[in-house]
Amino acid sequence: MSSPARGRGIASLWGNVRIFCKRHGSIALLLCLYLCTGFLYSIKTPIFEASDEFWHYPFVRHLARGRGLPVQTPEQVGPWRQEGSQPPLYYALGAFITFPIDTSDFHAVRRVNPHADIGVARADGNVNMVIHGEREGIRLQGTALAVRIVRWMSLIMGSITVLAGYLLARQVFPGDKVLALTVAGLTAFNPMFLFISASVNNDNLVIMLSALALVLMTKYVATHPRPRQWVYLGILLGLASLAKVSALGLIPLVGLTILIVARRHRSWRMLFVATLCVTLPAILLGGWWYHRNWRLYRDPLGFSAFLAVVGRRHPVPTLWQLLAEWKGFVRAYWGFFGGLNVLPPAWIHWTLGLFSVLGLVLLPFSLWRRKVAGNLHKVHLLQLSLSVLWPIILLISLVRWTLLTLASQGRLIFPGLIAINLLVSIGLGGLFSSRWRALLPAVVVLVSFVIAVTMPFTVIGPAYAPPPMLEEEDVSVQQSTDIRFGDNIRLLGYTMDQETITPGEDFAVTLCWESLGCMGENYSVFLHLVSEEGIIIAQRDIYPGRGTYPTTLWQSGDIIEDTYAIPVPPAVMTPTRVNVVVGLYSLETGKRLQVTDGKGNDLGDSFTLEQMALPAREHEGIPNPMHRNLANRVALIGYELDRTTASPGETFHLTLYWRALRDVQENYSVFTQILDQDGDCWAQMDGWPQQGDSPTATWRRGQTIEDEYVLTVKNDAPPGVYELWVGMYDADGRRLNVLGEEGYVEDNRISLGGVRVLPAE
């Protein structure tokens, strides 16, 4: 090409870029901000610490190594666990882009933290699911590189979802660019969406494909789609069904779209052609997977195989009890990072949630204003109906799934995220007059962006930071010690700020450790509260450094201070005294490290820091007060036990204090049991309260009932520590669910702590 011709070509290209930027510069900038922010999440979140990435990536690697699709059996659970039951498209794409990478270091990188607190945020951390070392440093290689690449593939899928949100709004209200940018902004800067988008998770593919399908459906109800266009929708539906089973919820929405279009054009032929054009590619693309599930598991959806691995929910809540899990649902919609154990400050959830609630509340008013202005027509309502129905379908499916297994996570309705954000954005944009209409949406998007971009630095990163190394002169402890555990670990001292231990609250202990040499094994720290009868009433087992700095990472001379929060059960019987005992052990063998003092004297396999008091507790004359809610009908508000040790053939005298939370209509039986670790019963007494003299059907709201039971230990009971359990059940044997403070189902029985059975005389 001659120089003048080349110059004209460059000028033409530059002109096209300028035109694109002029027309679409805002969304292009927003997508760049999204990708940059998502990249931060992908870097600041250590590998395998994003939601279920610990199991998603092994499925990718399995396919990348040419091993084929896994067959799920509870007897042979692979490193992918339940995720091996998921449709394979996302994992196949991840395998395709990472198969050249040597991931032979997989097992060295994916080193499990066996004590990680999954699904719960604890005061002393311990959030890391794996042990992180130098392999994840700046020089990415092997497994760490492969995981990052799949994460970046997910980010691209997320950017397409953001763009789909923009296109959805432009499809419904073509002239409203502010609305489109608001939808895209709310989608892009949802912290939880960013977190999932920057992880290895098949949700990213189904979210993207669902978003694109919704864009097409809203377009079709307003136009006259050709057969070729229906085929596009069928392809999306088929691909989505290969991404995740939840995408099958699109089927009724697609069917409704076809009916709307056929009715608008009064064409039975269009109804037939559209159905055929959608169904054939969907079945051809995704049908084989569901046929495979049927052949393997006699279940086309594969739920039976999934649940056989992950476990069914027990006890199963009622629908009303399920509503009590709304707080966890909302947290996981806006931001519940890590393995659902890294929480941002509560104000973030409240702020972002308030924006959404405000938008949904203002939605009818905003639509009314558009109608008055002549900007809302029947076709708009048809399009909006799809955006309303899709999240509802997802929510109904999620409720059904949550009744089968624990899954109350708001992120699971992200396939409908752009639909929700469209409705919220319409509401937010209708609060002010046309001159200031962009003000509130702009503020909301800006606040969301600021929150989102700070999360990796203020919440996610610090949660996985190893403890700071101290110099000996920096050690500040309440009580100095010179205690050695094995050959290489020294306890320099400890601090206990609390003078007493309170049941139902954490008891904090800070220990200062020194490494005397490198170690080839990870030792677990245990802290026990041991009663005078030798019963462990509370314990905390954890790797040092809040789980982030196990002993294989220690270098000779390292000194760290480590705070442990021991959760004390609310049912501990008082008054009593307990010893605060510390030790280290190998999880593989269970063997404890021997303890010696500074002079070399043998102290056994643990060290007692101090003896602490649990003073007597009483409220309104009721000993050992508590509030254990049984199905919002009655509550156990206290108990008394005459002893905590007994020999075979001897008895425990137990007094329970019940309070009716409402007028009780049914008669429930009380069960009291002493069980061993295998669940075998060694003492039991069931019956109506007060030996039948006070049946629950006679209880009235606020009434308190004192109820006594005698549990005789079986003559052949072996010596050991047993657990005392109580609860209620109805005439059909169904136990009443025990509800936590926030109303969610915890169990269907109440633990009153341990008792010891002595050797037979």
Side-chain angles (χ1 to χ4, degrees), residues 431-483:
L431 185 61
F432 298 111
S433 62
S434 57
R435 183 178 180 183
W436 299 99
R437 191 173 62 83
L439 178 62
L440 184 57
V443 169
V444 171
V445 171
L446 179 60
V447 171
S448 299
F449 170 69
V450 172
I451 290 175
V453 82
T454 58
M455 288 296 97
F457 303 100
T458 61
V459 176
I460 298 174
Y464 302 98
M469 296 297 114
L470 303 177
E471 299 295 334
E472 198 157 350
E473 57 268 20
D474 298 328
V475 174
S476 176
V477 291
Q478 193 179 73
Q479 182 68 47
S480 297
T481 61
D482 184 11
I483 303 297

Side-chain angles (χ1 to χ4, degrees), residues 287-300:
W288 67 270
W289 170 255
Y290 297 91
H291 176 66
R292 173 185 181 271
N293 286 341
W294 174 257
R295 286 192 300 105
L296 288 175
Y297 315 119
R298 287 295 181 263
D299 174 10

Side-chain angles (χ1 to χ4, degrees), residues 90-105:
Y90 175 85
Y91 308 100
L93 293 173
F96 178 75
I97 62 174
T98 58
F99 79 89
I101 300 173
D102 178 11
T103 58
S104 57
D105 63 346

Side-chain angles (χ1 to χ4, degrees), residues 279-583:
T279 304
L280 283 179
I283 292 177
L284 289 173
L285 286 170
W288 67 270
W289 170 255
Y290 297 91
H291 176 66
R292 173 185 181 271
N293 286 341
W294 174 257
R295 286 192 300 105
L296 288 175
Y297 315 119
R298 287 295 181 263
D299 174 10
L301 301 181
F303 284 173
S304 58
F306 190 103
L307 293 171
V309 174
V310 76
R312 289 181 176 270
R313 183 166 191 164
H314 180 77
V316 179
T318 64
L319 284 175
W320 184 255
Q321 291 168 351
L322 193 63
L323 288 175
E325 299 179 9
W326 69 269
K327 187 172 288 188
F329 178 89
V330 170
R331 286 172 175 171
Y333 184 89
W334 293 117
F336 204 172
F337 308 122
L340 291 179
N341 52 15
V342 179
L343 265 175
W347 67 265
I348 289 176
H349 295 119
W350 285 108
T351 300
L352 297 175
L354 179 63
F355 290 153
S356 288
V357 170
L358 179 62
L360 293 175
V361 169
L362 292 173
L363 177 62
F365 172 71
S366 180
L367 292 176
W368 174 79
R369 292 189 66 171
R370 286 178 180 269
K371 184 174 180 60
V372 171
N375 297 325
L376 185 67
H377 306 291
K378 182 179 179 180
V379 68
H380 295 135
L381 294 176
L382 290 174
Q383 292 173 314
L384 289 174
S385 67
L386 297 177
S387 295
V388 171
L389 286 173
W390 179 221
I392 292 175
I393 292 171
L394 289 168
L395 189 59
I396 292 172
S397 300
L398 180 58
V399 168
R400 177 179 175 272
W401 183 241
T402 303
L403 292 173
L404 295 175
T405 189
L406 289 168
S408 298
Q409 300 181 40
R411 69 177 181 86
L412 296 179
I413 64 168
F414 278 177
L417 183 61
I418 65 169
I420 296 171
N421 286 337
L422 172 65
L423 302 175
V424 170
S425 300
I426 293 172
L428 293 175
L431 185 61
F432 298 111
S433 62
S434 57
R435 183 178 180 183
W436 299 99
R437 191 173 62 83
L439 178 62
L440 184 57
V443 169
V444 171
V445 171
L446 179 60
V447 171
S448 299
F449 170 69
V450 172
I451 290 175
V453 82
T454 58
M455 288 296 97
F457 303 100
T458 61
V459 176
I460 298 174
Y464 302 98
M469 296 297 114
L470 303 177
E471 299 295 334
E472 198 157 350
E473 57 268 20
D474 298 328
V475 174
S476 176
V477 291
Q478 193 179 73
Q479 182 68 47
S480 297
T481 61
D482 184 11
I483 303 297
R484 301 196 179 196
F485 297 82
D487 297 326
N488 296 313
I489 300 174
R490 180 185 177 208
L491 180 65
L492 296 179
Y494 63 89
T495 299
M496 288 186 283
D497 295 331
Q498 300 158 253
E499 296 182 358
T500 60
I501 298 173
T502 304
E505 298 180 3
D506 287 346
F507 177 67
V509 179
T510 299
L511 303 178
C512 186
W513 301 105
E514 180 185 17
S515 172
L516 303 178
C518 296
M519 285 163 275
E521 187 172 359
N522 284 323
Y523 294 103
S524 302
V525 177
F526 69 83
L527 276 158
H528 292 169
L529 303 183
V530 184
S531 71
E532 294 173 319
E533 294 81 11
I535 299 171
I536 299 174
I537 67 168
Q539 71 181 78
R540 182 65 163 151
D541 290 42
I542 189 174
Y543 280 165
R546 301 180 308 145
T548 65
Y549 202 61
T551 54
T552 53
L553 300 182
W554 289 16
Q555 301 297 315
S556 182
D558 284 354
I559 298 176
I560 63 170
E561 282 190 1
D562 219 3
T563 298
Y564 306 83
I566 308 171
V568 184
V572 174
M573 191 171 69
T574 58
T576 189
R577 297 187 69 82
V578 297
N579 291 322
V580 183
V581 178
V582 63

